[in-house]
Amino acid sequence: MEPGARAVPATLHTLRKNIDSIPQGVQSVVEQFSVPRQQIISDLNNVSHSIGFTIHSLLKEQVYSVLEAIQGRAQDLQNSLHHLQILHKTVRTLTHFQDELGLALRDRKESTVSLLDSPHCTSCARALGKAQSLEPGADYSRVPSVEQVLKTLSGLPKANFPDLIDQGNSTFNSMPDLAVAKMAQVVQDLKDEVNKVSKKVQSIADSFPVSDYTQPLNDALMQAENKSRPYLQEVKHYEKYRWIVGIVLCSVVLLVVACNLLGLSLGACGLAMREDPSDYESRGEAGAKFLLVGVGFSFLFSWLLILLVFATFLVGGNVQTLVCKNWANQEIYKFIDTPGNLPPSTNLTQLLNLKRTLNLTSAYQECKKGAGLWDVLQLRDAYDLEDHLHLSQYTRDFQKRLDNFNLHFEEIHFLDGAGRRDLETFRQSGIDQLDYPMFQAEMQNPVVRTSLEDLARDLEGLRKIQRNITIAGRLANESQALWKIQNATVLTQEALVVKLNESVQFLSAMAPHLQLLLKQTMAEIALIETMLPVQAQRLLRHEIGCFTRKELGYFSQYLNWVRRTLTEDVASCQPLATALDNGRVILCDRIAEPWLYCLRGDLSLPHPPRYSSQAIGRGLRHLQDSDSR
């Protein structure tokens, strides 16, 4: 009895603790809002910089392309102006050298032709043809003039293109910092909204009505636990009496057994030693007396043991049959649910506030499966959980602030008025309309139609074969004069022609694409200056939309978890079913069933010895007859 009795208050205490833990469990669930709250606050700390960086990353290709185009057109303007100046200066220099070269060649031509045509000049006919070609080859006065173009581009660039590019680049790169500064207030407002949501979530625990339903049960369990403890003390007290009674009964049984054993032993011993009549008579008589004492004790105490067995079988058997068996197969719950079996005042369905669709049997089965009090008690009628866990009531203001936020990005001007005028002047300068093929055609003509080097070498060769010393000296003089013109004028002009050719090549390669490049650059600048704020605003709305969905996902996930936890885990009625099962185990397995097992097999009850008074009398007479003999 004692272990089962001791388990009663322990079971009641455990069940009461489980019921007491429901409000703390609800509060713990509510406090777990700190997890999504910290995540949302962390996201808010980074959202402004993240949005600004995203906008910057998505637009930087277009912006950098425009800045690169502006830098390219500014470089084209600088290079074109540089090459135009070289071209103009070189043409003027070549024209000046051309006049000097023409006078020098004319003098050398007359002198050399007259010398080579002299009859005293030996083998001079072959060199005479070259001497007659001593004339300027290219006429640079015929190339188009670039003076008008230079006049148009004079003073350009008036705008500081490097500063414009740096300024545009710096303004665009400051977008993330601008977003942080512009969104600082709305981020703080959103953090305040999250703190307000924490207070709203706390209202779930404050208004959750489980305690209203569990408090009466908790009070009843407290009262039952308090009342059971004195009984436990009584059980401990009577446990001493049980031991005393048990020891006494066992001692009586042992005494009966001992008397029987002694009687039989002494009787058998007396029969074995019958040669001595005196010993035989005393031992046999003592054995008979012990048997008589054993019979007396058996008849004296057997009715007490029979009553004990009867009482235990009566109580234990009825409890086992009527209560335990029906409790194990749940028939007892059906009996309680059947109208009329219990008084109307003890309707457990109403007392426990079970749902109208449930009775004690179905409620026990649902609790056994792990159902929550939410599904067993009539909580839905008193508390609309869905209304308290509706997402919009927690996120309405949060989402509204994000939807109403609007960040106006400042307009970025990649070119000021001076820069636009410079590029427009460059486009209308006519640099692309110059006759570059005429430049190239004229530069293909040699500076001198014949090679002064070849003619000078020929004259030196002729000098060596002349017999006339005077002719030989004149040939040497003419050769030296040609070398002087070659080194002093022709080589200089050829170098200028190479330099001129580089500028013409650059300008002729750029000129066909100049108008298209400038138009595209101006159009790209106008487009990006117009579309950049619009695209930035569109990207801002998109990023805010993504951020809103992400944060609302945290709220939704938490509220879904709260719904599942409150209805399935925190307010679970499984401990009630477990307590009922524990009660059955205490009553049946620990009290009633051990009685029956003990009485059926484990406890050997003393039985009266199978001796009658007639048998004892015959034994005594037999002893007397043996004594007389």
Side-chain angles (χ1 to χ4, degrees), residues 121-133:
C121 186
T122 304
S123 301
C124 295
R126 185 173 62 85
L128 180 60
K130 293 181 179 181
Q132 291 176 346
S133 299

Side-chain angles (χ1 to χ4, degrees), residues 256-382:
V256 172
V257 173
C259 290
N260 290 332
L261 291 176
L262 286 173
L264 292 175
S265 299
L266 291 174
C269 182
L271 291 175
M273 300 179 64
R274 57 178 177 270
E275 289 83 3
D276 186 353
S278 61
D279 291 340
Y280 171 78
E281 180 181 3
S282 60
R283 292 176 181 175
E285 185 178 358
K289 290 180 179 180
F290 273 114
L291 289 176
L292 289 175
V293 171
V295 170
F297 278 120
S298 296
F299 280 107
L300 181 64
F301 292 103
S302 61
W303 65 273
L304 295 176
L305 296 176
I306 293 172
L307 289 178
L308 176 63
V309 171
F310 173 76
T312 54
F313 265 111
L314 180 64
V315 177
N318 287 331
V319 171
Q320 179 71 19
T321 302
L322 299 178
V323 179
C324 295
K325 183 178 180 180
N326 293 320
W327 200 342
N329 58 22
Q330 301 179 15
E331 291 293 331
I332 192 172
Y333 301 122
K334 298 179 182 179
F335 175 81
I336 295 174
D337 289 330
T338 302
N341 290 337
L342 295 178
S345 59
T346 58
N347 190 338
L348 295 181
T349 301
Q350 295 179 357
L351 293 176
L352 296 176
N353 288 318
L354 298 179
K355 292 175 63 176
R356 296 181 180 88
T357 58
L358 296 177
N359 52 28
L360 185 61
T361 303
S362 57
Y364 169 78
Q365 293 173 351
E366 291 294 326
C367 292
K368 190 74 173 177
K369 296 177 182 177
L373 293 175
W374 191 261
D375 297 324
V376 175
L377 302 181
Q378 298 181 19
L379 294 179
R380 296 184 185 274
D381 299 334

Side-chain angles (χ1 to χ4, degrees), residues 5-21:
R6 189 169 57 247
V8 171
T11 301
L12 295 175
H13 180 75
T14 302
L15 179 59
R16 185 170 58 82
K17 287 298 182 182
N18 287 330
I19 295 176
D20 283 341
S21 66

Side-chain angles (χ1 to χ4, degrees), residues 213 288 291 394 542 548:
Y213 289 83
L291 289 176
Y394 298 100
H542 179 268
T548 302

Side-chain angles (χ1 to χ4, degrees), residues 97-113 131-137 446-452 455 478 481-482 485-486 489-490 493:
F97 282 134
Q98 179 181 322
D99 294 339
E100 294 180 357
L101 181 60
L103 293 176
L105 290 178
R106 187 165 53 249
D107 293 340
R108 295 276 68 76
K109 179 181 179 181
E110 293 177 356
S111 175
T112 304
V113 169
Q132 291 176 346
S133 299
L134 282 176
E135 296 177 355
V447 176
V448 182
R449 289 184 179 182
T450 187
S451 174
L452 294 182
L455 181 57
E478 290 298 331
L482 291 175
I485 294 173
Q486 173 69 23
T489 305
V490 174
Q493 285 189 314

